[in-house]
Amino acid sequence: MLSGWLNGSILALELELREPGGDSRVILQGPVGAASGNTLTILGIGVDTGGISQFRNLADAAIDRATFLAAASAGTLVKVRGDRSGGGVAWSEIELE
């Protein structure tokens, strides 16, 4: 795990390598850098929420996409989960942290 301070803010990334053919789960957690339509940029990675079926608020209650996107402004901490699919990730769940 890498961590440190950047201009008074906490910057943290975690990278875990696994054996090829192993677990295909992907978890990305970080602040929203930008939001445009259904796409959020998290730690520089574009996440299209169009295919996501589960959205959760801070209380871990299910909410709809529009409510989630209204709450996920720049700087908001989120966690998104999915599975590797081909050369990308099929995101399935996203939550406010």
Side-chain angles (χ1 to χ4, degrees):
M1 180 161 71
L2 303 170
S3 63
W5 292 92
L6 177 65
N7 296 328
S9 299
I10 297 174
L11 173 66
L13 301 172
E14 184 173 336
L15 176 63
E16 182 178 335
L17 299 176
R18 298 180 183 211
E19 295 296 320
D23 192 353
S24 66
R25 292 178 296 174
V26 176
I27 299 173
L28 174 64
Q29 180 174 344
V32 173
S36 178
N38 281 341
T39 301
L40 301 177
T41 302
I42 304 164
L43 300 174
I45 298 170
V47 175
D48 182 357
T49 65
I52 294 177
S53 60
Q54 296 179 35
F55 298 84
R56 302 225 171 251
N57 64 16
L58 288 170
D60 202 32
I63 56 176
D64 63 21
R65 177 179 291 109
T67 302
F68 183 89
L69 291 173
S73 58
T76 303
L77 185 61
V78 298
K79 181 188 289 185
V80 60
R81 293 179 177 87
D83 290 287
R84 289 189 313 248
S85 176
V89 177
W91 301 111
S92 58
E93 181 180 347
I94 192 166
E95 61 188 85
L96 298 170
E97 288 288 299

